[in-house]
Amino acid sequence: MPVITNKQQMLQHVQNVLHKKFAEAVEAVPSNRTLLEELIYAICRENTTPAEALAAYQRLVQSFIDWNEIRVSTVAEVAEVLHPLPAAGIRARRIIGLLQKVFEERYSFSLEELEKKGLKQAAKQLSRYKNDVTDYTVAWAVQRSLNGHAIPLDDATLRVLKRLGIIEEEVDPEQMESIRGTVEHLVTKARGPEFTDLISQLAHEWCVESTPLCSQCPLRGDCPTGVQNTTGRKAETRTRKNRS
């Protein structure tokens, strides 16, 4: 089957197909998490699925009295609670580091005043917690807490977008903001949260890191990588017309 060449239409098609597959698994539930809580959740969420991240986050808040207890705990203690998330030790170190920086700066665990600032200013201040807060974490907070338009890009999402032909094969970390801007131009704000979750499911189920399971993927006929891996031929090209 020829692939879709218009990138915006491609991502709309991808989201529509995945919505039918995973609507129940990633059904959006309004979050009542604070900005700080959303940042911590995002650390759990990066390169994982919604279900995996939510389970780990819930274990975290149920296993400790409050954020201060997590702050003064060891990396090993927090990592044990986050397990079996991949790179649990790294995530634990980032969570503890973020809590420590926020506490040293504010003597509390509240970032409420940032929610009242403009998006750019809030994102800039969040980025100051570098090493513990990544581009993905900030974009997640903008999307989920600050009501802004942002598409968080972790390694799993970038892998999928490369194979779909949406972005270039090589991603320079220094150009992440530009790459994210390109994707945000293709995905509307209203569809952004669901898009983020659906792509994570795709990366987890079929578009895995080593050898993608293209023969099982519902997008194999539209994805350039899927076409080549299942037929041995490069995909022909065509533009899908809008049906609205």
Side-chain angles (χ1 to χ4, degrees), residues 191-209:
R191 302 195 86 191
E194 185 193 58
F195 174 84
T196 299
D197 288 344
L198 290 174
I199 291 296
S200 295
Q201 289 293 144
L202 173 60
H204 176 74
E205 295 289 337
W206 301 297
C207 203
V208 295
E209 184 172 6

Side-chain angles (χ1 to χ4, degrees), residues 34-184:
T34 66
L35 179 55
L36 177 63
E37 291 168 349
E38 206 67 71
L39 288 170
I40 293 172
Y41 177 82
I43 294 175
C44 297
R45 178 67 174 77
E46 190 169 352
N47 288 313
T48 60
T49 65
E52 291 171 330
L54 183 59
Y57 180 81
Q58 289 177 337
R59 289 195 302 273
L60 188 68
V61 297
Q62 292 169 2
S63 299
F64 296 92
I65 296 174
D66 54 20
W67 295 126
N68 191 60
E69 184 184 10
I70 296 175
R71 178 182 70 89
V72 299
S73 296
T74 67
V75 170
E77 289 170 335
V78 177
E80 183 178 1
V81 173
L82 295 178
H83 183 78
L85 281 186
I90 294 175
R91 295 178 199 271
R93 187 175 295 109
R94 288 174 59 194
I95 290 171
I96 293 171
L98 172 62
L99 290 171
Q100 182 64 32
K101 289 174 183 175
V102 171
F103 183 77
E104 289 176 352
E105 182 178 85
R106 302 164 187 273
Y107 297 103
S108 72
F109 297 103
S110 174
L111 296 173
E112 288 183 5
E113 81 281 1
L114 292 186
E115 300 180 29
K116 302 175 184 178
K117 297 181 180 292
L119 284 175
K120 289 186 178 180
Q121 184 62 26
K124 182 178 180 180
Q125 291 198 37
L126 290 177
S127 298
R128 292 188 306 163
Y129 302 123
K130 57 184 179 180
N131 299 325
D132 304 313
V133 170
T134 62
D135 183 87
Y136 176 94
T137 319
V138 174
W140 181 277
V142 169
Q143 183 192 72
R144 305 291 172 125
S145 278
L146 302 177
N147 196 34
H149 184 29
I151 303 294
L153 299 177
D154 55 11
D155 292 339
T157 302
L158 291 171
R159 178 174 72 246
V160 172
L161 294 177
K162 289 177 193 175
R163 289 172 175 169
L164 287 170
I166 302 300
I167 61 176
E168 299 298 325
E169 191 65 27
E170 295 299 326
V171 176
D172 185 346
E174 298 297 323
Q175 298 178 330
M176 185 59 68
E177 185 175 351
S178 175
I179 295 169
R180 185 161 43 77
T182 297
V183 179
E184 289 163 3

Side-chain angles (χ1 to χ4, degrees), residues 228-239:
Q228 186 158 7
N229 286 351
T230 57
T231 68
R233 301 190 303 272
K234 287 188 177 181
E236 300 173 15
T237 61
R238 68 178 172 86
T239 301

